[in-house]
Amino acid sequence: MNNRRFSGKNLHQWVKNLPIGHLQLGRQALPERESSSTIGEMINAVERGVLYHISATAARRIDRTLNALFRMLGDGGPDNWDRFRKTRPRLSSYKAIYFASPRLRALNARERGLALAKAHLSRRAINALEKGHIETIGHLITQAERGIINLAGLGVFKGLEVVASLDALADAVRKDGTIDWLKFAQRRNFAVLPRSAIAPTPRDFIREFPRVCEAAVAMTFSKNAARILKTHLLRAASAYNARTKTAKLLSLNRETIRLYENEIVDALRGAIWNEDYCGCQFRFRREFVAPLLELRECLLQKVSPNLRSSWAAALQQSWGVDPQAVNNQEILLLRLLGRDASSFQRESWAFRRAHAEVQWFVRSSRTRPIEVGPVRQHVTRKLGRLAPTPKEVLTILDNLPNLEPGPKRGSFVVPLKALGYTDRCEVVLRARGAPMHLRDLNSAIAADSSKRTSVLLSASSRFVPIGRTGFWALREWQDVEARTVSDMVAELLESSPRPLRGTELYRLIKLRRRIGYHSIGPLS
C-alpha cells in the first residue's frame, strides 16, 4: 500500500480509540496481527509500512476505507463520524456489533436508563443482550462502542436488528439529549398510530381508539388475532361472550382464542402503560393515549367494591361520558386496565337488577317517604351479596326522575304532580292523618269534580268511606270507624242487656266517629 497518503495527526482521539471493527472491513480484510486493535494503531501501522496482507483485495478494501475516513473526518472533529458510518462498507449480517456515534454519547441519563424494549427490539434480541448483562439503552450504546462479540443467542439477523435500532436512535437524538421516538419509529419503518396527530380529547380518543387498535394488531399479529380483537374484545361488557361462542363463530378452539387474546392485551398494555414495544411494528403517539392514562388514575382512586359503579363514576369524572359511550370497546378497555370482563358482566347484571328493584320499590311506595334503609333491605333480599351499598342505593335514588328530597335527610318523595288521582288522595290523607271530606280532598288535589273523585276512591281498595257522611279514610287505619250508623246501632243494641234511648246511642256512637243527632231519628 502507498502509506504516504495517510496521516492520522488530525484525527480526534475518540476516533483513534475506536476498535477497528467499526471500519466494517470484513473477515478477509482484518489485519493478521492482533496488535492493530484500534483505528489509531491500524493507521500507525499503515504509515510505518508494517501492515501487510496476503490478499490484494483486502488491501484495496482497507485503502478505500481509510481514504473515506480521512475524507469525512479531515477537519479532525468526531462530528462527521456519522457521515462516515453511513458510507462505510455494509455487511449482510452481524456476528459482532460495532456501533459508535457522537450523538449517542450526548444522550442524557434518563434516556440511557430506558429499557431495551422501548427501542422495538425483538424478544430474542433482548434475551441475548440481557444474558450479556446489557439491560438498558445506555448499556447497549456503551458496549456497542467497545464491540459486542460472540454474544450467545444473538444470531446474524438479530445483530442486524440491533444495529438498525442504534442507527435510528443516533438519527433521532435531539440537541437537548432526548430522543424523538416518533422519528425513531419512522426511521425503522414502524407505523406511528394514529397516522395524523389529533386533539387528545376523550371523545376523539373514543372515536379513534378501536380503529387504532385494529391497525396495531393487524401489523403485529396474524389475521386470526385481528378477528378475535373485533369479535371478542371490541364489544360492550354487557354483550360479553364466553370463548366457546367466539370459538364456534371463528372456527377456532377456546385455547387458541385465549392465547391470542392474552397476547393482544399484553402487547397493547405494554405499549400504552410502559412504552414497551418489544416485537411491535407500531408506535402510539403519546398524546393520543393521554386520556387513557387519566382514566386509569381516576379508576385507581375509586375504592368502591362494586366495579360497575366505580367504572361508571370514573368514566363520568375523567371523560364526562356514560358507559354506553364506550360500548364498542368496553371489554378491551377493561382488560387494558387490569379488570376481568366476566366479573364485570356479573356486576353489570347485578347493577341493572338493583336499579330495577329500586325502581319497583319506588313505584310500590310512591305515596310514602322513601328512605335508603328500607330500599337497601328490599334489594338485599333479592340480590344477596351482590346488593349495592347504602351509598350506591342513595346514588341510584338521587338519579331517578320524579323524585324530590323528603322531609328527612336522605329521604325522597314523589311529587303530587307526578301521581294519579287516587295516589294524590292517599298522600293527602296520610299527611292529614284523619278522614277528610270529598270537598277538602278535591281542593287539596285540585280535582275537577267530587263525583269523579268518589268513583275513583270507591274503585280502589286503599280507601273506605265513613258511612254516608262524604268522609273518606285509608283502609289501613285500624282506629277509624267506617261502618254505617245503622250497623253500629245494631251492634250496640245486641251487646246491651237493656233497651237504649236515642240520646244514649248518640253518646256511644259519638265516641267512635263524627255523627249528628238527627242521624239517630230515622232509625227509630
Side-chain angles (χ1 to χ4, degrees), residues 303-318:
V303 295
S304 172
N306 191 316
L307 172 59
R308 187 64 177 87
S309 60
S310 299
W311 174 244
L315 283 175
Q316 188 62 45
Q317 181 177 335
S318 60

Side-chain angles (χ1 to χ4, degrees), residues 481-517:
E481 183 59 73
R483 291 179 297 175
T484 62
V485 174
S486 58
D487 291 337
M488 288 188 290
V489 168
E491 180 189 357
L492 291 171
L493 291 175
E494 287 179 2
S495 61
S496 176
R498 63 179 181 83
L500 299 173
R501 293 179 181 274
T503 56
E504 294 175 324
L505 289 171
Y506 173 74
R507 285 195 301 270
L508 291 173
I509 296 175
K510 183 69 173 177
L511 296 174
R512 300 187 181 184
R513 50 163 280 192
R514 180 180 300 183
I515 186 176
Y517 182 76

Side-chain angles (χ1 to χ4, degrees), residues 120 182 185-186 188-195 215-216 219 277 280-285:
H120 291 257
L182 295 184
Q186 293 167 351
R188 290 292 315 276
N189 294 323
F190 297 139
V192 177
L193 300 176
R195 303 286 184 181
M219 294 171 188
Y277 289 96
C280 295
Q281 302 298 313
F282 64 90
R283 192 175 194 91
F284 291 130
R285 296 180 186 271

Side-chain angles (χ1 to χ4, degrees), residues 429 434-436 438 441 454 457-458 463-466 470-474:
L429 284 171
M436 294 180 63
L438 284 177
L441 279 174
S454 177
L457 294 180
S458 300
F463 306 95
V464 60
I466 307 300
F471 283 82
W472 287 79
L474 294 176

Side-chain angles (χ1 to χ4, degrees), residues 220-439:
T220 307
F221 300 98
S222 65
K223 292 183 178 179
N224 283 335
R227 293 167 64 198
I228 290 171
L229 174 71
K230 292 181 181 180
T231 59
H232 197 64
L233 293 175
L234 291 178
R235 305 190 65 177
S238 57
Y240 177 78
N241 282 338
R243 294 190 184 96
T244 305
K245 267 187 183 177
T246 309
K248 292 180 180 178
L249 181 65
L250 302 179
S251 300
L252 299 171
N253 60 61
R254 289 182 299 173
E255 182 63 16
T256 301
I257 292 176
R258 186 187 68 81
L259 292 175
Y260 273 126
E261 182 181 341
N262 291 341
E263 287 179 0
I264 293 170
V265 171
D266 289 344
L268 294 179
R269 288 188 69 184
I272 294 171
W273 307 135
N274 306 319
E275 295 188 77
D276 181 346
Y277 289 96
C278 175
C280 295
Q281 302 298 313
F282 64 90
R283 192 175 194 91
F284 291 130
R285 296 180 186 271
R286 202 59 187 164
E287 65 274 12
F288 172 71
V289 299
L292 195 54
L293 302 176
E294 181 183 352
L295 177 62
R296 181 176 68 164
E297 292 299 322
C298 185
L299 192 60
L300 290 175
Q301 297 173 2
K302 302 299 177 184
V303 295
S304 172
N306 191 316
L307 172 59
R308 187 64 177 87
S309 60
S310 299
W311 174 244
L315 283 175
Q316 188 62 45
Q317 181 177 335
S318 60
W319 290 0
V321 299
D322 295 326
Q324 291 77 11
V326 296
N327 272 348
N328 64 331
Q329 54 194 289
E330 194 169 31
I331 294 177
L332 178 59
L333 288 176
L334 288 168
R335 289 295 306 275
L336 293 178
L337 292 164
R339 307 299 170 124
D340 184 12
S342 58
S343 299
F344 182 83
Q345 184 186 34
R346 290 194 297 271
E347 292 190 8
S348 299
W349 172 87
F351 182 82
R352 293 193 302 272
R353 178 72 185 279
H355 200 278
E357 291 295 340
V358 170
Q359 288 181 315
W360 180 91
F361 188 92
V362 169
R363 285 194 300 269
S364 61
S365 306
R366 60 189 176 275
T367 59
R368 303 168 182 267
I370 301 168
E371 298 182 359
V372 174
V375 176
R376 186 171 186 274
Q377 289 177 4
H378 167 75
V379 177
T380 302
R381 286 196 299 269
K382 298 293 184 179
L383 299 182
R385 61 183 182 84
L386 295 178
T389 63
K391 185 176 179 180
E392 292 168 346
V393 171
L394 180 62
T395 303
I396 295 174
L397 289 171
D398 202 21
N399 292 330
L400 286 180
N402 297 328
L403 276 185
E404 295 178 346
K408 296 182 180 180
R409 183 179 180 182
S411 65
F412 299 86
V413 294
V414 180
L416 284 178
K417 62 182 180 180
L419 297 173
Y421 278 103
T422 55
D423 292 334
R424 294 182 188 182
C425 290
E426 182 180 348
V427 172
V428 171
L429 284 171
R430 182 168 284 108
R432 177 69 64 86
M436 294 180 63
H437 197 275
L438 284 177
R439 292 189 302 271

Side-chain angles (χ1 to χ4, degrees), residues 97-117:
I97 297 176
Y98 289 94
F99 192 93
S101 171
R103 303 185 66 178
L104 289 180
R105 291 172 63 89
L107 208 60
N108 63 32
R110 180 185 174 278
E111 303 286 0
R112 284 179 171 273
L114 295 176
L116 297 173

Side-chain angles (χ1 to χ4, degrees), residues 12-256:
H12 194 277
Q13 191 62 38
W14 175 75
V15 177
K16 291 183 179 181
N17 291 337
L18 292 176
I20 58 175
H22 287 277
L23 298 178
Q24 296 186 181
L25 297 172
R27 181 176 297 179
Q28 292 181 351
L30 286 176
E32 292 181 353
R33 296 184 180 181
E34 296 294 335
S35 60
S36 300
S37 58
T38 66
I39 293 177
E41 292 175 354
M42 184 175 188
I43 293 174
N44 289 335
V46 172
E47 289 177 344
R48 296 195 310 269
V50 297
L51 183 63
Y52 296 97
H53 207 285
I54 299 175
S55 171
T57 303
R60 287 192 297 270
R61 187 183 182 101
I62 294 173
D63 190 21
R64 288 194 303 268
T65 302
L66 291 179
N67 281 330
L69 177 66
F70 280 98
R71 213 169 29 246
M72 296 294 181
L73 278 75
D75 57 355
D79 296 338
N80 290 328
W81 172 262
D82 287 325
R83 291 176 55 198
F84 168 74
R85 178 171 51 81
K86 294 181 183 297
T87 59
R88 66 187 172 182
R90 293 188 176 275
L91 300 180
S92 58
S93 64
Y94 285 78
K95 281 190 175 182
I97 297 176
Y98 289 94
F99 192 93
S101 171
R103 303 185 66 178
L104 289 180
R105 291 172 63 89
L107 208 60
N108 63 32
R110 180 185 174 278
E111 303 286 0
R112 284 179 171 273
L114 295 176
L116 297 173
K118 193 167 182 177
H120 291 257
L121 294 175
S122 64
R123 176 51 55 191
R124 181 178 175 184
I126 291 176
N127 290 341
L129 291 172
E130 287 180 347
K131 287 179 181 178
H133 306 289
I134 301 173
E135 300 178 349
T136 64
I137 290 177
H139 293 163
L140 178 60
I141 293 172
T142 302
Q143 293 299 324
E145 185 174 315
R146 297 173 182 172
I148 303 174
I149 307 172
N150 298 327
L151 192 60
L154 187 68
V156 291
F157 295 108
K158 293 305 174 183
L160 280 172
E161 178 187 328
V162 173
V163 172
S165 295
L166 288 169
D167 196 9
L169 279 175
D171 291 339
V173 176
R174 300 189 183 99
K175 292 182 179 180
D176 59 355
T178 60
I179 298 175
D180 185 348
W181 288 105
L182 295 184
K183 183 177 180 180
F184 167 82
Q186 293 167 351
R187 290 280 297 153
R188 290 292 315 276
N189 294 323
F190 297 139
V192 177
L193 300 176
R195 303 286 184 181
S196 58
I198 64 172
T201 62
R203 297 192 181 276
D204 291 332
F205 177 83
I206 292 171
R207 184 183 66 252
E208 295 293 332
F209 187 62
R211 286 181 287 193
V212 168
C213 288
E214 288 180 20
V217 171
M219 294 171 188
T220 307
F221 300 98
S222 65
K223 292 183 178 179
N224 283 335
R227 293 167 64 198
I228 290 171
L229 174 71
K230 292 181 181 180
T231 59
H232 197 64
L233 293 175
L234 291 178
R235 305 190 65 177
S238 57
Y240 177 78
N241 282 338
R243 294 190 184 96
T244 305
K245 267 187 183 177
T246 309
K248 292 180 180 178
L249 181 65
L250 302 179
S251 300
L252 299 171
N253 60 61
R254 289 182 299 173
E255 182 63 16
T256 301

